Amino acid sequence: MDIFIMRHGEAGFSAFNDKDRPLTARGEEQASEQGLWLVKQMLPEQVLVSPYLRAKQTYQYVQQHFSHSILTETWDNLTPHGNPELVVDYLETLQQQGVKSVLIVSHLPLVDEIVTALGIREAIAFHPATIVHLEKTEQITKLIEFKIPTA
């Protein structure tokens, strides 16, 4: 299974609470740039997105570059302090169901915790809109690459 784990784009602070923080113009540009990169790698079969505004907006800019609609699930466990073990368990379930590729759009610290829970020990700097590409087999997960936006 190919797993793409993405941190949301740069977000502003002009919101009443954390979940309603919108992307900045730079965050929109970052997300769009990463969408272009992602379609050159592969289109995910399924997308899992945090319910927070900045993550949903990030995915909106990413998906503009997709040639067709993709099954997308908004999941409360993908908020900043979600449980990485639940995410890994769900990825294993999807893999058993035959899903070959997944994009996750979430937040720090969870994105880093998911990578660690999948067994990756390399330190990855999750700047806004960074995407990590992992390849997961039943036995091992490998870091393929990561892409930091230039915007």
Side-chain angles (χ1 to χ4, degrees), residues 23-116:
L23 291 181
T24 62
R26 181 177 182 207
E28 293 169 357
E29 187 179 337
Q30 290 169 333
S32 182
E33 175 189 328
Q34 295 295 74
L36 282 171
W37 177 83
L38 184 61
V39 297
K40 292 177 184 173
Q41 311 312 304
M42 71 175 58
L43 282 180
E45 288 181 43
Q46 190 162 344
V47 179
L48 307 174
V49 182
S50 162
Y52 284 22
L53 178 61
R54 59 193 179 272
K56 292 191 295 188
Q57 288 178 326
T58 295
Y59 180 57
Q60 288 172 350
Y61 282 94
V62 167
Q63 76 174 354
Q64 289 177 3
H65 304 287
F66 294 176
S67 59
H68 59 277
S69 63
I70 294 171
L71 177 62
T72 303
E73 180 181 344
T74 301
W75 188 21
D76 288 340
N77 189 58
L78 293 177
T79 58
H81 300 289
N83 183 330
E85 296 301 330
L86 281 179
V87 177
V88 170
D89 287 348
Y90 191 48
L91 289 170
E92 289 174 358
T93 298
L94 293 174
Q95 187 174 24
Q96 291 168 0
Q97 292 173 349
V99 175
K100 302 285 187 224
S101 58
V102 175
L103 168 64
I104 297 171
V105 183
S106 187
H107 314 264
L108 279 176
L110 185 62
V111 288
D112 189 53
E113 293 169 349
I114 295 167
V115 169
T116 300

Side-chain angles (χ1 to χ4, degrees), residues 5-22:
I5 301 173
M6 181 178 193
R7 181 183 173 200
H8 62 79
E10 181 184 84
F13 292 95
S14 60
F16 183 70
N17 58 48
D18 188 43
K19 71 178 188 172
D20 293 328
R21 291 175 46 213

Side-chain angles (χ1 to χ4, degrees), residues 113-133:
E113 293 169 349
I114 295 167
V115 169
T116 300
L118 285 165
I120 303 301
R121 300 295 173 237
E122 291 90 347
I124 298 167
F126 268 103
H127 300 284
T130 295
I131 299 177
V132 171
H133 178 192

